[in-house]
Amino acid sequence: MNTNTNSAAILANVDTIDTLAAPASVAIQANKIRECMILVDPELGTPLYWIDHKVRSTTGSGNAEFLAHNLENGHFETVRIFGTTAVKVMAV
């Protein structure tokens, strides 16, 4: 088992993710988020969004925009975060 928690996890599926558990996480800038990463709720520390793909944001807005699978309700949502904002993602 890999216990290194310095890098973001990239998961091919989320079928076995426990949405009530608080997994290890690492902070990265929003513009560094990639497909298949899991965003962690900043207050609870639980898995919140599984990133499907990056969406083109408005030019000059500074936003990072993604289509993401909401792990709480199962719906797809657009997630917009200012690009330099530090966000927590699930770590390996």
Side-chain angles (χ1 to χ4, degrees), residues 11 13-23 38-50 69-75 90:
L11 304 174
N13 67 56
V14 291
D15 296 338
T16 60
I17 295 293
D18 182 0
T19 57
L20 299 176
I38 295 180
L39 298 182
V40 175
D41 185 295
E43 294 177 5
L44 301 175
T46 57
L48 186 58
Y49 290 108
W50 183 43
H69 181 91
N70 185 321
L71 297 173
E72 290 181 353
N73 61 25
H75 297 156
M90 196 167 131

Side-chain angles (χ1 to χ4, degrees), residues 36-89:
C36 298
M37 287 185 177
I38 295 180
L39 298 182
V40 175
D41 185 295
E43 294 177 5
L44 301 175
T46 57
L48 186 58
Y49 290 108
W50 183 43
I51 301 299
D52 185 69
H53 67 276
K54 191 169 187 170
V55 178
R56 181 178 292 226
S57 60
T58 305
T59 304
S61 69
N63 287 337
E65 196 166 324
F66 309 93
L67 182 63
H69 181 91
N70 185 321
L71 297 173
E72 290 181 353
N73 61 25
H75 297 156
F76 277 98
E77 299 177 8
T78 300
V79 177
R80 292 176 187 91
I81 308 168
F82 191 69
T84 58
T85 302
V87 294
K88 289 186 177 182
V89 296

Side-chain angles (χ1 to χ4, degrees), residues 2-11 23-27 38 40 88-92:
N2 185 358
T3 59
N4 178 10
T5 58
N6 294 325
S7 60
I10 296 178
L11 304 174
S25 63
V26 62
I38 295 180
V40 175
K88 289 186 177 182
V89 296
M90 196 167 131
V92 290

